[in-house]
């Protein structure tokens, strides 16, 4: 066992983990952060995406011990303390960017990182930015619209849903 100190969604934890424990399993099984999901066993789907020190990572590709001393943010840590949704969550809801929702936690975490790096992504840039995240339901069009709407809100622009949808139609 190895001891790790990690801050997850704003709370400090000290835990013993097996050296082979993956970060996603630590989050789900030891911390109960089941909003972060496992969608494959090949590191391909992106459903397990979290932020590690502010960067999107597939948490099934990182050992928990590698997060020692780091800050992890999951889908459960991005909303406001008062329960308000993050702008990316709100945009996915408003633009119907999900169907079954299984890919959505990872898709949202990857999309926030994308918008942090590129405040005004084009459709092609959104598609490229989320190419590591697979969705089996939506066909991606509404996901792209949601990311662009959230990018506008996160960066103080006024592009509304109708305008965004009209531009993409
Ligand atoms: S569960 Fe991590 S990439 Fe699929
Ligand atoms: S909404 Fe079902 S996998 Fe994306």
């Amino acid at each position: 066992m190895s001891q790790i100190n990690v801050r997850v969604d704003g709370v400090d934890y000290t835990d013993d983990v097996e050296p082979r424990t993956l970060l996603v399993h630590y989050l789900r099984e030891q911390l109960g952060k089941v909003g972060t999901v496992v969608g494959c066993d090949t590191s391909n789907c992106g459903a397990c995406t979290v932020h590690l020190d502010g960067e999107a990572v597939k948490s099934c590709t990182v050992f928990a011990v590698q997060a020692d001393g780091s800050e992890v943010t999951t889908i459960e840590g991005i909303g406001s303390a008062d329960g308000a949704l993050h702008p990316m969550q709100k945009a996915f809801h408003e633009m119907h960017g999900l169907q079954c929702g299984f890919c959505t936690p990872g898709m949202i975490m990857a999309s926030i990182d994308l918008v942090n790096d590129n405040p005004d992504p084009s459709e092609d840039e959104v598609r490229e930015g989320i190419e590591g995240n697979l969705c089996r339901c939506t066909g991606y069009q509404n996901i792209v619209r949601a990311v662009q709407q959230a990018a506008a809100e996160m960066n103080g622009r006024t592009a509304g849903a109708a305008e965004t949808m009209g531009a993409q139609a």
Side-chain angles (χ1 to χ4, degrees):
M1 288 290 217
S2 302
Q3 188 176 80
I4 61 170
N5 296 292
V6 61
R7 173 171 281 231
V8 181
D9 295 338
V11 177
D12 291 323
Y13 296 90
T14 298
D15 279 310
D16 293 325
V17 297
E18 297 278 359
R20 66 170 185 268
T21 300
L22 297 174
L23 180 58
V24 66
H25 292 141
Y26 170 68
L27 293 171
R28 288 177 56 83
E29 292 160 22
Q30 285 187 240
L31 303 190
K33 299 277 183 183
V34 294
T36 301
V37 297
V38 178
C40 72
D41 57 9
T42 53
S43 307
N44 277 327
C45 76
C48 62
T49 303
V50 300
H51 293 177
L52 181 61
D53 290 331
E55 300 287 330
V57 297
K58 294 178 178 179
S59 60
C60 73
T61 68
V62 178
F63 291 113
V65 292
Q66 292 176 283
D68 183 31
S70 295
E71 177 150 12
V72 176
T73 305
T74 78
I75 188 70
E76 298 175 50
I78 60 172
S80 303
D82 65 0
L85 297 177
H86 184 282
M88 192 64 73
Q89 293 173 301
K90 186 163 151 278
F92 268 67
H93 172 67
E94 291 177 353
M95 304 301 282
H96 307 290
L98 63 144
Q99 288 183 24
C100 80
F102 199 83
C103 71
T104 310
M107 196 68 81
I108 285 176
M109 299 309 289
S111 298
I112 292 171
D113 189 35
L114 161 66
V115 172
N116 285 342
D117 289 343
N118 181 352
D120 189 14
S122 66
E123 177 174 345
D124 285 348
E125 287 169 338
V126 173
R127 289 181 182 276
E128 186 177 336
I130 60 171
E131 67 182 1
N133 291 70
L134 303 181
C135 177
R136 295 167 177 87
C137 304
T138 66
Y140 296 95
Q141 194 64 34
N142 288 353
I143 291 175
V144 174
R145 292 169 176 157
V147 175
Q148 289 185 306
Q149 177 174 303
E153 185 173 342
M154 290 165 66
N155 290 285
R157 298 190 305 277
T158 53
E163 180 186 329
T164 306
M165 291 189 82
Q168 298 291 328

